[in-house]
Amino acid sequence: MSDNTDEPSNTEHDNRWQQRLLGEDKQRRNDHRSPYQRDRARILHSAAFRRLQAKTQVLGVGMNDFYRTRLTHSLEVSQIGTGITAQLRRKYPELRYLLNSMSLIESICLAHDIGHPPFGHGGEVALNYMMRHHGGFEGNGQTFRILTRLEPYTLSWGMNLTRRTLLGVMKYPATYSQLYIDLHRPDIANHRQLKPSEWPPVKGLFDDDKSIIDWVLSELSEADRQLFISSEQSHTNVDYPHLKTRYKSFDCSIMELADDIAYAVHDLEDAIVMGIVNQHQWQRDVVEQLSDIKDVWLISEIAQIGDKLFSHEHHLRKDAIGTLVNGFVTAIGISTNSKFDEDLLKYNAELQVDFAATLHVLKQFVFKYVIRKPEIQMLEYKGQQIVMELFEAFASDPERLLPLNTRERWLAERNDNKNPMRVIADYISGMTDEFAGRLHQQLFGSKTAGIMDLSREQ
């Protein structure tokens, strides 16, 4: 059986995790796909996935036509995720039953960013602030919501994916109310004053989706479930005030490593190509920071790879990028946590210590020179303002300003005494950068522009 295919599985364990919330009886002609191949198709063909092509990854969409968007990033994460899975299959033949579907890992990786709002972190913080009294907002929580409720593959159960795929996208498997710490911050006087550092989103799922979260976790024992959703104060980020979940599923750990590798290495490539970072900064902030590592291959590679990375020869830079990605992928093993009974929680993919340290340094390098770059922060700040002003406008008179299908959802939530503000957050977070910008111009610009078509797929 090739490493690029899904292997047949008929165990009771697989059957439990392949269940869907909404039972399906699709008798399609000669359809022999596995459940996870169907999940992947639903994600790939969704409107939410297509919209990632026009959402900011790090550098603003439209600044240059070379670098990555959320869509190309997600495709790269998927490719790295399957590479990790193929390596682990060979290293751990006894755990092959947990690694029997490439389509599963592809699905989780392709979907992992699907809930991110326009304008990157700026849009996320803006929505979180506007939702501060209504359950907050966070990109990973929105991903789960799109997959399970919003994407119109079914009437009201989203894409109706398998339980295991949904478990895999739960990066933070507890709800907002379990993790939120109230800092008693006063509301800001006006939108211009919002500081992202003072309003960090709670990294978790939304209380509005608790019934579906409970369904996903219902196959776990009570002891496993309680441990899985347990949380603690962050030890690594003193600026993050809320509680953080402690555990992830096996599939999620593979996706998260793939995401980190893609972010650190490929966003680094974009920064080098655009001249944002230079070799002197690389030497000081990467090579010198890694002087204590012991791994012989890494020591040798880090010492000389800078010449290739910053070469004007395109093929040399590509070779260096490929070498780095391959180095990380092949340095991943599986750790065991015997506190859990469920195998999907007991095992996690994990980087060797020196490679984990190197990946952390690379991520910090990209953060320092790319994400914190004033020009990038100005774009984030502008996006932040756009999102808050759009939210304020829709919340002021939803029945007047929301498009028809969104208005119907808003009315239904209000009439059921639920959380109608969540519907406004859903609508804005689904927008692309350009759509949000044009809509803001139509509402607040001085020119009387033509009427925009708001009836896009929700």
Side-chain angles (χ1 to χ4, degrees), residues 134-278:
H134 309 284
F137 180 87
E138 197 265 341
N140 297 290
Q142 191 67 17
T143 291
F144 185 81
R145 189 167 168 78
I146 288 170
L147 298 177
T148 59
R149 283 196 192 277
L150 302 180
E151 184 64 31
Y153 183 86
T154 63
L155 192 59
S156 55
W157 301 112
M159 299 185 204
N160 198 33
L161 303 178
T162 58
R163 182 183 267 117
R164 184 167 169 182
T165 298
L166 293 176
L167 182 75
V169 297
M170 286 182 170
K171 280 180 76 168
Y172 312 104
T175 56
Y176 177 92
S177 59
Q178 293 170 271
L179 303 170
Y180 175 70
I181 300 291
D182 189 351
L183 301 176
H184 302 289
R185 283 221 162 93
D187 290 354
I188 54 176
N190 70 55
H191 294 162
R192 301 277 190 264
Q193 296 174 349
L194 183 73
K195 291 185 174 70
S197 60
E198 294 178 357
W199 297 92
V202 172
K203 293 182 181 298
L205 302 164
F206 304 140
D207 288 82
D208 297 313
D209 303 318
K210 188 162 187 320
S211 61
I212 303 178
I213 299 164
D214 288 344
W215 175 80
V216 175
L217 303 182
S218 63
E219 284 301 320
L220 302 176
S221 68
E222 182 61 20
D224 271 5
R225 194 175 74 82
Q226 290 302 330
L227 185 60
F228 186 52
I229 66 173
S230 63
S231 57
E232 62 190 3
Q233 283 292 156
S234 175
H235 302 307
T236 54
N237 185 356
V238 291
D239 296 325
Y240 182 76
H242 307 294
L243 299 177
K244 283 196 83 168
T245 55
R246 300 158 66 198
Y247 302 108
K248 294 173 174 59
S249 71
F250 180 52
D251 304 320
C252 186
S253 69
I254 294 174
M255 175 269 282
E256 192 161 45
L257 282 173
D259 188 22
D260 283 350
I261 293 167
Y263 166 78
V265 180
H266 290 139
D267 289 352
L268 168 67
E269 181 184 16
D270 284 355
I272 292 169
V273 170
M274 295 181 70
I276 293 172
V277 294
N278 59 45

Side-chain angles (χ1 to χ4, degrees), residues 41-42 56 89 100 111 131 142 173 185 198 203 211 245 259 269 287 292 333 360 368 403-404 421 425 427 433 440 444:
R42 291 176 193 190
T56 296
R89 276 184 177 183
N100 58 9
M131 290 292 288
Q142 191 67 17
R185 283 221 162 93
E198 294 178 357
K203 293 182 181 298
S211 61
T245 55
D259 188 22
E269 181 184 16
V287 178
D292 292 339
H360 176 72
K368 177 178 177 180
L404 291 175
M421 288 300 186
Y427 178 52
D433 297 19
H440 183 270
F444 301 109

Side-chain angles (χ1 to χ4, degrees), residues 376-442:
I376 302 296
Q377 287 302 308
M378 283 182 187
L379 281 173
E380 267 200 14
Y381 179 80
K382 184 178 181 181
Q384 200 175 290
Q385 305 307 314
I386 289 172
V387 166
M388 286 192 285
E389 288 176 8
L390 286 178
F391 194 104
E392 188 176 52
F394 290 127
S396 72
D397 200 344
E399 293 182 70
R400 178 185 178 199
L401 295 175
L402 286 175
L404 291 175
N405 59 339
T406 310
R407 185 194 312 169
E408 287 173 11
R409 285 185 51 231
W410 185 88
L411 286 168
E413 287 283 304
R414 188 194 65 179
N415 295 340
D416 290 343
N417 291 317
K418 290 185 178 175
N419 188 5
M421 288 300 186
R422 180 66 63 198
V423 175
I424 298 176
D426 290 340
Y427 178 52
I428 295 174
S429 72
M431 295 177 183
T432 63
D433 297 19
E434 185 189 359
F435 184 93
R438 283 193 293 126
L439 184 54
H440 183 270
Q441 180 64 30
Q442 177 155 354

